[in-house]
Amino acid sequence: MSHNTFGRVFRFTTWGESHGPALGVVIDGCPPGLPLTEADIQPFLDARKPGQSRYTTQRREADRVRIMSGVFEDDGGRQVTTGTPIHLMIENTDQRSKDYSQIARSYRPGHADYTYDAKYGIRDYRGGGRSSARETAARVAAGAVARLVIPEVSITAYVCELGGDAIDREAIAYEEIGKNPFFCPDISAATRWGEKVEAARKDGSSLGAVVECSAQGVPAGWGAPVYAKLDGELAAAMMSINATKGVEIGDGFAAARLTGEKNADAMSPGDDGKPVFASNHAGGTAGGISTGQPVVCRVAFKPTSSILTPVDSITSSGEATQVMTKGRHDPCVGIRGTPVVEAMMALVLADHKLLHRAQTG
Amino acid sequence: MSHNTFGRVFRFTTWGESHGPALGVVIDGCPPGLPLTEADIQPFLDARKPGQSRYTTQRREADRVRIMSGVFEDDGGRQVTTGTPIHLMIENTDQRSKDYSQIARSYRPGHADYTYDAKYGIRDYRGGGRSSARETAARVAAGAVARLVIPEVSITAYVCELGGDAIDREAIAYEEIGKNPFFCPDISAATRWGEKVEAARKDGSSLGAVVECSAQGVPAGWGAPVYAKLDGELAAAMMSINATKGVEIGDGFAAARLTGEKNADAMSPGDDGKPVFASNHAGGTAGGISTGQPVVCRVAFKPTSSILTPVDSITSSGEATQVMTKGRHDPCVGIRGTPVVEAMMALVLADHKLLHRAQTG
Amino acid sequence: MSHNTFGRVFRFTTWGESHGPALGVVIDGCPPGLPLTEADIQPFLDARKPGQSRYTTQRREADRVRIMSGVFEDDGGRQVTTGTPIHLMIENTDQRSKDYSQIARSYRPGHADYTYDAKYGIRDYRGGGRSSARETAARVAAGAVARLVIPEVSITAYVCELGGDAIDREAIAYEEIGKNPFFCPDISAATRWGEKVEAARKDGSSLGAVVECSAQGVPAGWGAPVYAKLDGELAAAMMSINATKGVEIGDGFAAARLTGEKNADAMSPGDDGKPVFASNHAGGTAGGISTGQPVVCRVAFKPTSSILTPVDSITSSGEATQVMTKGRHDPCVGIRGTPVVEAMMALVLADHKLLHRAQTG
Amino acid sequence: MSHNTFGRVFRFTTWGESHGPALGVVIDGCPPGLPLTEADIQPFLDARKPGQSRYTTQRREADRVRIMSGVFEDDGGRQVTTGTPIHLMIENTDQRSKDYSQIARSYRPGHADYTYDAKYGIRDYRGGGRSSARETAARVAAGAVARLVIPEVSITAYVCELGGDAIDREAIAYEEIGKNPFFCPDISAATRWGEKVEAARKDGSSLGAVVECSAQGVPAGWGAPVYAKLDGELAAAMMSINATKGVEIGDGFAAARLTGEKNADAMSPGDDGKPVFASNHAGGTAGGISTGQPVVCRVAFKPTSSILTPVDSITSSGEATQVMTKGRHDPCVGIRGTPVVEAMMALVLADHKLLHRAQTG
C-alpha cells in the first residue's frame, strides 16, 4: 500500500515526483496561532538545496516554497497558522529535458527501478520519479513548521563519518557545521572529506556517510510505550529517508558491547529537582520516553547507487545489460541528508509533544 | 500518548503488566480460514519462555496461551480463524510476592522507572509493570499467527554477537540455532558465550547482544514508498522491543563505509524471469520495497540495566540513593529477544503482504 | 478488513463472540491518575444487562466486569489509571448449550449470517458470534471509563419513540428514565410501550425504536474540521451499534424541512462572555465543532430480525428454506441500546477532549 | 485536532480555503495502472460547480482540475495511475475582493464562525475559509478517481425532498436527474421546486433538502464488523459534508416504525447461486457488510445559514449585533450537495473494496 503520510496527531502527507511540475506537503494538526511565513521555511530548504557546492549534484533548483493554505493574519497583522491544513508547494524548475530511454528500459541496481515495477507494474522513471530524494524537500519544509511547535527544543545534525572516515569527537566545534559543505563539526575532517568526495566524483564512484542528530531541550516525558516509543518513532522516521540503512539511538550498536555497569547512566539530584545524569549512553530515552537529556540518534546513509562505473543488471524485459548513471548526481547523499535528518527529528518531536499533552493535559 | 497497537491492516494490540493477573494481545484483520490452535502458538512462546537455561532469568512462567476469540470450526471440523479479532491471553503465574518498597521509591538507572513517573505521575513498579519485557510474550504469540498469513516466508533469527564477541560467519550452521541456549548458529561461539554469560551472572553484571534475522521467500513488491518503507516498518518494529538501541537493514552501518561499486547488488537474468542478485548488501529491499532476496536486519540489545552492581540514582522524592537490582534477571536480554525479533519480522511482513494485495489486487 | 478499534487518541478495541468464553475491550490512551475500580463500571453494564425486565431477552448474564490491567494504587492508596492499556473482561456464563444445526445451515434474513459467510467463508453461528449485540457490553464498559475523562459532561440517553409511538416532549421528566424498563422520560408513554412490547413478544414479532442522547457541559471548541467533525464522529459511533439504521444531530431530517430563518440558532451575549443561544436546532455543533450547547443526537434502531414469524430464506448451500428464530431474544433491541448510545457518546467526547488539547494545548 | 484525511487504505487529504489561491486533494493508496486524465475528473466538478443555474450561488468558478502527480504514461501511451500519491489542484479564480469587516467581527449564526474562534482563537473569515463548502470540490475530484477503482459499481444520487416537498416515488425517472437543475428524478417535483427555490431566494431565505444515493453493483462482502461497518463508514462520510444533519441507511428512521416481519428482507435462491431479495429495507447491508443489493443512503441538508433575514448574534468581542449575509449564496445547499454525496459514496466503497481484498485475498 502506498503510504505517504507520517505522524499521529501532527501529521504530514507528501506528494510529487522528481520531474513532475511540483512537489508538496500537507501538514495537518498544526497548533493555531504560530507565526509562519515562507521566510521561516526557506532557510531550511536552502540548506538542503542541490548545487550548493561542488560536492553535491549540479541540478539547479530554486526550491522556493509557497504557502498555499492554513495561515491568516491575526489581530496584530502577523501571518499565523490557523489550525487548518498547511499546504506547502515547491515547483520543479530544472527537470532537464533529456533522453530517458535507457533508464526507462533498464533497472539501476540499488535503485527502486526494479521494485517499483515489481510492485506497481509501472514507474515514472524520469529522475527516479517518486523514489527520488527530491521528495525530501517536502519533509524539510514540513520540518520547518514542526520546529515552531517545539520552540523549547534545539536540533542539530551533522555528518560524523564519511566514507569510513570519522570525526574526532575531541575536536567537535559545533559552530563549524554551517561553515563547510559537509555539515561537519570537525574542521580537519572536513578538509579530508573534501578530497575524498572530489576523488570519488572524479572516479564516478560514491561514498556513504553517517549523520548524527541531537535534540536539546526535550523535557522528560515525551514518547510512549509500547509501539510509539521515541526510539521506534525516530527509527521509522529516519529509515524512511532515501538511502538510509541503519539507525541508532544513543550508543546504539556500541551499547551491545558494553557491560551493564558501563552502560548505566547514573543519576544524581539536580538543583531543580530533576535528575542530573552522569552520562547519556541511552541517547535521551528510557522505556521509549524522553529522560530530559539530549535525544541523540545516528543514521547510516549508503553510497548512492548512481555511479559512472558500469554494473551488471537486467532490462525490464529480463535481458542482461550493464547500467551506469550518467548525469548529475550527489557523490555522497548523506551530506544533503543532514537537513533531512534534522527535519525528521523535529517532526517526530512535535508529534510527541502534542500526543503527550493529549494524554496528560 | 500511550500507543499499544502496531500494524496497518494486520494489527495487534497488547495489554498487561508484568505482575498483573495476565497479559494478552488482540489481533485484528487476520485473514479468515487459517487453521489455528493453541499448539500453533505455544512452541514460539516456549522458545521465549524464561527459565529455559541457567543463562536466562529463573522466573518460572508456564506461558500457556489461551485463544479467547476469533476461531471456529470449519466444515471439515478444523479450528480456523474467522476474520474477527483473535484474543490471546497468557496468565502470569510466578509473580513472586516480595517487598517492592525499594523499587517503589527509587529509580533504577536505564529502566523506565523515572520516565514513567515523569510522564504519567504514577507507575506500576512491580517487576517493571508495563515496561517489563514480559510484554513481548504477547508479541511472540501474535507473531505465531502472523506466520500463518505468510506461509511462503521462512524466518530465522539468531544471536550473531554477544558481549562484543561475534560469530564466525564462515562457521554458521543454522541447524545449531535450536540446539544451544543462545540461539547461536556458530557452535564454538556458543561455547565461548556460555562462559561469558556465566561470568557476567556471577559478577552481577550483564551483557549486550546483536540479533540477526533473515526472512526467506519474501516476493518482490512488498513494502511501500514513502513512509511505509519496509526498512522503516522493520526499524519501528524492532526498536519497539525492550532494550533495543539500534537496527540495520542489510549491511547497515557497514554500507556507509563502502563505495557505490562495492555496495551495488548486481543483477542478472534468472531462469524464471526474475533477477538473480550477485550479492545482498541491501538486505532485500530497494526503495523500501522487497527485491525478492532475503530480508535481513540486525538489532542491537543493550546490556540489561538490572545488575547487582550498585549505581548512583535518585529516589522519587529527589534524594540521592544507590540502586542495585536483586532478584531474578536475565544477564543478557538479547538471548530471549531472539524469538521476539522473529515475531516482529513476521508481523511486519504479514501486514505488508495484505497491504500489497489491497492496493494491487 | 476487520476493524475492531474505535477512536483517535482515546482508542478502544473490542474482542469476543456471543458464545465464546468471554468478551473484552482494551482501552488505550486513557489519561493517568483517574480513580477507577470495577464499581465505577458495573452500574453501566447492569443497565444494559439482559434479563432485567420481561421486555428484554431472558438470557441471564451476570456481566461482571474484571479490570485486567492499566490500574495501580497511587500514593493515597486509591486504585487509579496508569496511562497504560486498560483491559476489561466479561465472562460469558449463560451460553445455553443447544442445537445450532438450523442456524448453522440457514441464513436468518436481516442478520449478518449471509454477509459474514459471503465475506469470510465462515462464521461462528452460535448466538450470532461476533455480530451479536453482546459485543456492546464491551463498549458500555469502555464508556464508563470514558466518562471519567470528561467529568464536566453529563450524558443522558432515553428512548423517545418505540414502535412508531413517540413521547410527548411536553411531558418529559428526566427522573423517570431510570424508573421504567424502557429508559423512557414520559411516564404515560412508558405505560403504552409496555403493552406494545408485550403484544409484540406474544406475537413473536419485534419493534423498532428511536433513542435520543444529550450531552450537557461540552465546552465550545471540541470536534474538528473536516473529516473529524463531531457530527461525523458521532454518526460513525452510533451507526456501529447493532441494528441502527439512522442518526441525526440536532433537528436532523426535520431541519431539512425548515427555512433558514426558522433553523437559525440566534445568539446573544451571556453574562460570562459566552453566547446564549435562543434555540438548539443544530444539536450543539456548528462546522463540526461544539458550540457549548448540549450535544444532541438521535439514533434509529430497526426491529430485531430475530422473530418467531417464519420468513423466506436460503440455506448456505443455496436452497430455499424458511427461518424463524426460536429462543431468547429482545422484542425491541432499541431499549437495551440506550446505555450503548450513552457509552458511544462518552467515548467520542473523551476522544475529542484529548484531541482538542493535543492541538490547542 | 484538525483532521483532514479520510479513508483507511484508499485515503485522501484535502487542503485549502474558500478565498485562498487554490484548494486540493492528495489521494494515497490508489491502485496502479488505472487510466486517468483530467477529463475523467472534470465532468464531476462541473456538476458541482457554482453558477450553473439561477438556483445556485452566482459565484463563478471555472473549477479546472489539474493533476500534479501520481500519473505516468504506460507502455501503450495512456496516462495511468502509478500507485503513488495523486495530487489534484483547483485554483480559486473568483474570490471577489470585498469588504470583510462585518463578517470578520460578527458571528453568523449556524456558521462555523464562532466555533472556529472558540477552538482556534483565529479564523480565515473570507468566505468561510476552511469551513466553506468550497472544500467539497476537492472531494468531488477525489471521488472521480475512486470511481475508477470500482468500475463494477454504478452510483446515482438525487434530491428526493426539497423544502419539505418530497418526490413521488412512483414517478421516478432516473434519466431526468441530469436534465433539471435540482438533480431531481421526478419531473413534476422539479417544476414545483423551481418555484420554491426562486421564492426563497427572493425572500432572502433558504431551504433544506434530502439527498438519496444508491450504489448498484456492490458485491456481497464489502464492509466490516464492528467499527468499520459500511453503515458507519457511510454515516461518517456523509456527515462530514457541510450542512448535513442526518443520515439513513435503507429505510433508516422509517425502519424504526416497522415490525420485524415488515422490515425483513426475505431471500430466495437466485439463478446464479446468489440470493434474490424480496425487498431492500436494509439498504444493502447486514451486520455492516454489503448484501449484494444496492447500497442506499439518504442525507439531510439543513437550509443554509447564509440568509438575508437579520438574525440576532454577537460580535467577536461579545456584544450584541444582528447578522445578515449579503452576497452570493446558494438558497438550497442540498442541490449542489448531490454530486458530493455521490463522491463520498464512491470514496467509501473504493476504500472497502481494497480493504476486503486485503483481508480475504
Side-chain angles (χ1 to χ4, degrees):
Chain A
M1 204 71 210
S2 177
H3 210 298
N4 295 276
T5 298
F6 189 88
R8 296 175 188 272
V9 293
F10 185 95
R11 287 176 308 280
F12 66 98
T13 303
T14 69
W15 61 270
E17 281 90 27
S18 176
H19 285 52
L23 57 89
V25 59
V26 182
I27 302 165
D28 197 13
C30 186
L34 303 174
L36 175 68
T37 68
E38 285 149 6
D40 295 307
I41 303 170
Q42 196 61 50
F44 297 99
L45 283 168
D46 290 346
R48 194 213 71 101
K49 201 164 66 173
Q52 295 299 87
S53 78
R54 61 180 176 180
Y55 305 112
T56 59
T57 174
Q58 295 310 298
R59 177 169 172 165
R60 295 275 162 196
E61 287 290 351
D63 276 359
R64 280 283 136 209
V65 69
R66 189 170 168 213
I67 302 177
M68 302 291 286
S69 66
V71 295
F72 198 63
E73 280 195 6
D74 71 3
D75 287 343
R78 293 178 312 170
Q79 182 170 288
V80 301
T81 58
T82 59
T84 59
I86 300 165
H87 181 222
L88 308 175
M89 192 162 72
I90 300 161
E91 284 185 50
N92 290 325
T93 54
D94 186 24
Q95 318 99 298
R96 192 167 292 187
S97 107
K98 67 168 216 184
D99 178 8
Y100 288 111
S101 56
Q102 203 222 358
I103 185 175
R105 295 190 48 257
S106 299
Y107 295 136
R108 295 170 297 166
H111 276 284
D113 300 343
Y114 168 66
T115 55
Y116 269 60
D117 256 13
K119 183 175 192 69
Y120 296 123
I122 184 171
R123 71 195 149 99
D124 178 347
Y125 44 73
R126 299 167 307 161
R130 181 68 183 154
S131 72
S132 165
R134 249 198 97 55
E135 187 269 348
T136 61
R139 310 176 186 220
V140 168
V145 179
R147 282 171 197 261
L148 304 177
V149 178
I150 47 169
E152 63 272 60
V153 177
S154 165
I155 299 172
T156 309
Y158 41 88
V159 179
C160 66
E161 184 183 313
L162 190 155
D165 181 10
I167 57 170
D168 175 0
R169 287 183 176 271
E170 304 298 310
I172 286 182
Y174 293 112
E175 65 279 10
E176 295 295 332
I177 294 170
K179 298 184 186 161
N180 64 73
F182 303 107
F183 302 104
C184 177
D186 168 1
I187 201 166
S188 76
T191 309
R192 298 193 306 269
W193 295 353
E195 292 161 23
K196 271 180 172 281
V197 174
E198 188 60 25
R201 200 164 60 84
K202 281 188 184 150
D203 290 352
S205 181
S206 64
L207 296 171
V210 178
V211 175
E212 188 166 278
C213 184
S214 174
Q216 313 259 348
V218 179
W222 293 3
V226 177
Y227 301 105
K229 285 194 173 114
L230 216 46
D231 313 63
E233 303 280 275
L234 286 170
M238 299 307 167
M239 294 289 268
S240 74
I241 303 173
N242 304 53
T244 58
K245 297 308 283 186
V247 64
E248 298 180 312
I249 307 295
D251 283 6
F253 281 85
R257 286 150 206 153
L258 297 177
T259 61
E261 308 88 85
K262 292 277 167 56
N263 188 57
D265 296 319
M267 302 156 84
S268 59
D271 293 338
D272 57 356
K274 291 174 188 164
V276 171
F277 291 87
S279 53
N280 189 15
H281 296 289
T285 72
I289 299 170
S290 59
T291 60
Q293 289 197 282
V295 174
V296 180
C297 73
R298 248 176 325 283
V299 186
F301 286 81
K302 68 175 182 179
T304 179
S305 310
S306 300
I307 51 176
L308 281 167
T309 313
V311 181
D312 286 341
S313 189
I314 60 172
T315 65
S316 52
S317 45
E319 288 142 29
T321 187
Q322 279 208 323
V323 174
M324 55 175 280
T325 312
K326 278 171 277 189
R328 306 163 294 176
H329 72 270
D330 278 288
C332 176
V333 289
I335 300 169
R336 292 209 292 131
T338 307
V340 186
V341 167
E342 278 195 4
M344 295 309 292
M345 174 68 86
L347 288 157
V348 167
L349 293 177
D351 195 24
H352 274 277
K353 177 180 178 175
L354 302 194
L355 280 167
H356 180 62
R357 76 182 180 197
Q359 189 177 17
T360 65
Chain B
M1 203 69 210
S2 175
H3 210 298
N4 296 277
T5 298
F6 189 89
R8 297 174 188 272
V9 292
F10 185 94
R11 289 176 307 281
F12 66 98
T13 303
T14 69
W15 61 270
E17 282 90 27
S18 176
H19 284 53
L23 57 89
V25 59
V26 182
I27 302 165
D28 197 12
C30 184
L34 303 174
L36 175 68
T37 68
E38 285 149 7
D40 295 308
I41 304 170
Q42 197 61 50
F44 297 99
L45 283 169
D46 290 346
R48 195 211 72 101
K49 201 164 64 173
Q52 296 299 87
S53 78
R54 61 181 176 179
Y55 306 111
T56 60
T57 173
Q58 295 309 300
R59 177 169 172 166
R60 295 274 163 196
E61 287 289 353
D63 276 0
R64 279 284 136 207
V65 68
R66 191 172 167 210
I67 302 177
M68 303 291 285
S69 66
V71 295
F72 198 63
E73 280 195 6
D74 70 3
D75 288 343
R78 293 178 313 170
Q79 182 170 287
V80 301
T81 59
T82 60
T84 59
I86 300 165
H87 181 223
L88 306 176
M89 192 162 73
I90 300 162
E91 283 184 50
N92 289 326
T93 53
D94 186 24
Q95 318 99 299
R96 192 168 291 187
S97 107
K98 68 168 216 183
D99 179 9
Y100 289 110
S101 57
Q102 203 223 358
I103 185 175
R105 295 190 47 258
S106 300
Y107 295 135
R108 294 168 298 165
H111 276 284
D113 299 345
Y114 167 65
T115 54
Y116 270 59
D117 257 12
K119 183 175 192 68
Y120 296 123
I122 184 171
R123 72 194 148 100
D124 178 347
Y125 44 73
R126 300 166 306 160
R130 182 68 182 155
S131 72
S132 164
R134 248 198 97 55
E135 187 270 347
T136 61
R139 310 177 187 220
V140 169
V145 178
R147 283 171 196 260
L148 303 177
V149 177
I150 46 169
E152 62 272 60
V153 176
S154 164
I155 300 172
T156 310
Y158 41 87
V159 180
C160 65
E161 186 183 313
L162 191 154
D165 181 11
I167 56 170
D168 175 1
R169 287 183 176 269
E170 304 298 311
I172 286 182
Y174 292 111
E175 65 279 11
E176 295 295 332
I177 295 170
K179 296 184 186 162
N180 63 74
F182 303 106
F183 301 104
C184 177
D186 167 1
I187 201 166
S188 76
T191 309
R192 299 193 306 270
W193 295 353
E195 291 161 23
K196 271 180 172 283
V197 174
E198 188 61 24
R201 198 163 62 84
K202 282 188 183 151
D203 292 353
S205 181
S206 64
L207 297 171
V210 178
V211 175
E212 187 166 280
C213 184
S214 173
Q216 313 259 348
V218 178
W222 293 4
V226 177
Y227 300 106
K229 284 194 175 112
L230 216 46
D231 312 64
E233 304 280 275
L234 285 171
M238 299 306 167
M239 294 289 267
S240 75
I241 303 173
N242 304 55
T244 59
K245 296 308 282 186
V247 64
E248 300 180 311
I249 307 294
D251 282 6
F253 281 85
R257 285 149 207 153
L258 298 177
T259 60
E261 308 89 85
K262 292 277 168 55
N263 188 57
D265 294 321
M267 302 156 85
S268 58
D271 294 337
D272 56 357
K274 291 175 189 162
V276 171
F277 291 87
S279 54
N280 189 15
H281 297 289
T285 73
I289 300 170
S290 59
T291 60
Q293 289 198 281
V295 174
V296 180
C297 73
R298 248 176 325 284
V299 186
F301 287 82
K302 68 175 183 180
T304 179
S305 310
S306 300
I307 51 177
L308 281 169
T309 314
V311 181
D312 286 341
S313 188
I314 60 172
T315 65
S316 52
S317 44
E319 288 141 30
T321 187
Q322 279 208 323
V323 173
M324 55 176 280
T325 312
K326 276 171 279 190
R328 305 162 296 175
H329 71 270
D330 278 288
C332 176
V333 289
I335 300 169
R336 291 209 294 131
T338 307
V340 186
V341 167
E342 278 195 2
M344 295 309 292
M345 173 69 86
L347 288 156
V348 167
L349 293 177
D351 195 24
H352 274 277
K353 176 179 178 175
L354 303 194
L355 280 166
H356 180 63
R357 76 182 181 197
Q359 189 177 16
T360 65
Chain C
M1 205 68 212
S2 176
H3 210 298
N4 296 276
T5 298
F6 189 89
R8 297 174 188 273
V9 292
F10 185 95
R11 286 176 309 279
F12 65 97
T13 303
T14 69
W15 61 269
E17 282 89 27
S18 176
H19 285 53
L23 55 89
V25 59
V26 182
I27 302 165
D28 197 12
C30 185
L34 303 174
L36 175 67
T37 67
E38 285 149 6
D40 295 307
I41 304 170
Q42 197 61 50
F44 297 98
L45 282 169
D46 290 346
R48 194 213 71 102
K49 200 163 66 173
Q52 295 300 86
S53 78
R54 61 180 175 180
Y55 307 111
T56 60
T57 173
Q58 295 309 300
R59 178 169 172 165
R60 295 275 163 194
E61 286 290 352
D63 276 359
R64 280 284 136 208
V65 68
R66 190 171 166 210
I67 303 177
M68 302 291 286
S69 66
V71 295
F72 198 63
E73 280 195 7
D74 70 4
D75 288 343
R78 292 178 314 170
Q79 182 171 287
V80 301
T81 59
T82 59
T84 59
I86 301 165
H87 181 223
L88 307 176
M89 192 162 73
I90 299 162
E91 283 186 51
N92 290 325
T93 53
D94 187 23
Q95 317 100 297
R96 193 169 291 187
S97 112
K98 67 169 216 183
D99 179 8
Y100 288 110
S101 56
Q102 203 222 358
I103 185 175
R105 296 190 47 257
S106 299
Y107 295 136
R108 294 169 297 165
H111 276 284
D113 299 344
Y114 168 64
T115 54
Y116 269 59
D117 257 12
K119 184 174 191 69
Y120 295 123
I122 184 172
R123 71 194 149 100
D124 179 346
Y125 44 72
R126 300 166 307 160
R130 182 68 183 154
S131 72
S132 164
R134 248 198 97 56
E135 188 269 348
T136 61
R139 310 176 186 220
V140 168
V145 178
R147 283 170 196 260
L148 302 177
V149 177
I150 46 169
E152 63 273 59
V153 177
S154 165
I155 299 172
T156 309
Y158 41 88
V159 180
C160 66
E161 185 183 314
L162 191 154
D165 180 11
I167 57 170
D168 175 0
R169 287 184 176 269
E170 304 298 310
I172 286 182
Y174 292 111
E175 66 278 10
E176 295 295 333
I177 294 170
K179 296 183 185 162
N180 64 73
F182 303 106
F183 302 104
C184 177
D186 168 1
I187 202 167
S188 76
T191 308
R192 298 194 305 271
W193 295 354
E195 292 162 21
K196 271 179 172 281
V197 174
E198 188 61 24
R201 199 164 61 84
K202 281 189 184 150
D203 291 352
S205 181
S206 63
L207 296 171
V210 179
V211 175
E212 187 166 281
C213 183
S214 173
Q216 314 259 349
V218 178
W222 292 5
V226 177
Y227 300 107
K229 285 193 174 113
L230 216 45
D231 314 64
E233 304 280 275
L234 286 171
M238 299 306 167
M239 294 289 267
S240 74
I241 303 173
N242 304 54
T244 58
K245 298 306 285 185
V247 64
E248 299 180 311
I249 306 295
D251 282 7
F253 281 85
R257 285 150 206 152
L258 297 177
T259 60
E261 308 88 88
K262 292 277 167 56
N263 187 57
D265 294 320
M267 302 157 84
S268 59
D271 294 336
D272 57 355
K274 291 173 189 163
V276 171
F277 291 88
S279 54
N280 189 15
H281 296 289
T285 73
I289 300 171
S290 59
T291 60
Q293 289 198 281
V295 174
V296 180
C297 74
R298 248 177 325 283
V299 186
F301 286 82
K302 68 175 184 181
T304 179
S305 310
S306 299
I307 51 177
L308 282 168
T309 313
V311 181
D312 285 341
S313 188
I314 59 172
T315 66
S316 52
S317 45
E319 288 142 30
T321 186
Q322 279 207 323
V323 173
M324 55 176 281
T325 311
K326 277 172 277 189
R328 306 164 294 175
H329 71 270
D330 279 287
C332 176
V333 289
I335 300 170
R336 292 209 293 131
T338 307
V340 186
V341 167
E342 278 195 2
M344 294 309 292
M345 174 68 87
L347 288 157
V348 167
L349 293 176
D351 195 25
H352 274 278
K353 176 180 179 176
L354 302 194
L355 279 166
H356 180 61
R357 77 182 180 197
Q359 190 176 16
T360 64
Chain D
M1 204 69 212
S2 176
H3 210 298
N4 296 276
T5 298
F6 189 88
R8 297 174 188 272
V9 292
F10 185 96
R11 287 176 307 281
F12 66 99
T13 303
T14 70
W15 61 270
E17 281 89 27
S18 176
H19 285 53
L23 56 89
V25 59
V26 182
I27 303 165
D28 197 12
C30 185
L34 303 175
L36 175 67
T37 68
E38 285 149 6
D40 295 307
I41 304 171
Q42 196 61 51
F44 297 98
L45 283 168
D46 291 345
R48 193 212 73 101
K49 201 165 65 172
Q52 295 300 86
S53 79
R54 61 181 177 179
Y55 306 111
T56 61
T57 173
Q58 295 309 300
R59 178 170 173 165
R60 295 274 163 196
E61 286 289 352
D63 276 0
R64 279 283 136 209
V65 68
R66 191 172 167 210
I67 302 177
M68 303 291 285
S69 66
V71 296
F72 198 64
E73 281 194 6
D74 70 3
D75 288 343
R78 291 179 313 171
Q79 182 170 287
V80 301
T81 59
T82 60
T84 59
I86 300 165
H87 181 223
L88 307 176
M89 192 161 73
I90 300 162
E91 283 184 52
N92 289 325
T93 53
D94 186 24
Q95 317 99 298
R96 193 169 290 189
S97 108
K98 67 169 215 182
D99 179 9
Y100 288 109
S101 57
Q102 202 221 357
I103 185 175
R105 295 189 48 257
S106 299
Y107 295 135
R108 295 168 298 164
H111 275 284
D113 299 344
Y114 168 65
T115 55
Y116 268 61
D117 257 12
K119 183 175 192 70
Y120 295 123
I122 184 170
R123 70 195 150 98
D124 178 348
Y125 45 73
R126 299 167 307 159
R130 182 70 182 153
S131 73
S132 164
R134 249 198 96 54
E135 187 269 348
T136 61
R139 310 174 186 222
V140 168
V145 179
R147 283 170 196 259
L148 303 177
V149 178
I150 46 168
E152 63 272 59
V153 176
S154 165
I155 299 173
T156 309
Y158 42 87
V159 180
C160 66
E161 185 183 313
L162 191 154
D165 180 12
I167 57 170
D168 175 1
R169 288 183 176 269
E170 303 297 310
I172 286 182
Y174 292 111
E175 66 278 11
E176 295 294 333
I177 294 171
K179 297 184 185 161
N180 64 74
F182 302 107
F183 302 103
C184 177
D186 167 2
I187 202 166
S188 75
T191 308
R192 298 194 306 269
W193 295 353
E195 293 162 20
K196 270 179 172 283
V197 174
E198 188 60 25
R201 198 164 62 83
K202 282 188 183 150
D203 291 352
S205 180
S206 64
L207 297 171
V210 178
V211 175
E212 187 165 280
C213 184
S214 174
Q216 314 259 347
V218 179
W222 292 5
V226 175
Y227 300 106
K229 285 193 174 112
L230 216 46
D231 313 64
E233 304 280 275
L234 285 171
M238 299 306 167
M239 294 288 268
S240 74
I241 303 173
N242 304 54
T244 58
K245 297 306 283 185
V247 64
E248 299 180 312
I249 307 296
D251 282 6
F253 281 86
R257 286 148 207 153
L258 298 177
T259 60
E261 308 88 86
K262 292 277 168 57
N263 188 57
D265 294 320
M267 302 157 85
S268 59
D271 293 338
D272 57 356
K274 290 175 190 163
V276 171
F277 291 87
S279 54
N280 188 15
H281 296 289
T285 73
I289 300 169
S290 59
T291 60
Q293 289 197 282
V295 173
V296 180
C297 73
R298 249 177 325 283
V299 186
F301 286 82
K302 68 175 183 180
T304 180
S305 309
S306 299
I307 51 176
L308 282 168
T309 314
V311 180
D312 286 341
S313 187
I314 60 172
T315 66
S316 52
S317 44
E319 288 142 30
T321 187
Q322 280 207 323
V323 174
M324 55 177 280
T325 312
K326 277 171 278 189
R328 306 162 296 174
H329 71 270
D330 278 287
C332 176
V333 289
I335 299 170
R336 291 209 293 132
T338 306
V340 186
V341 167
E342 278 195 2
M344 295 307 293
M345 173 69 87
L347 289 157
V348 167
L349 293 177
D351 195 25
H352 274 277
K353 177 180 178 175
L354 303 194
L355 280 166
H356 180 61
R357 76 183 181 197
Q359 190 177 17
T360 64

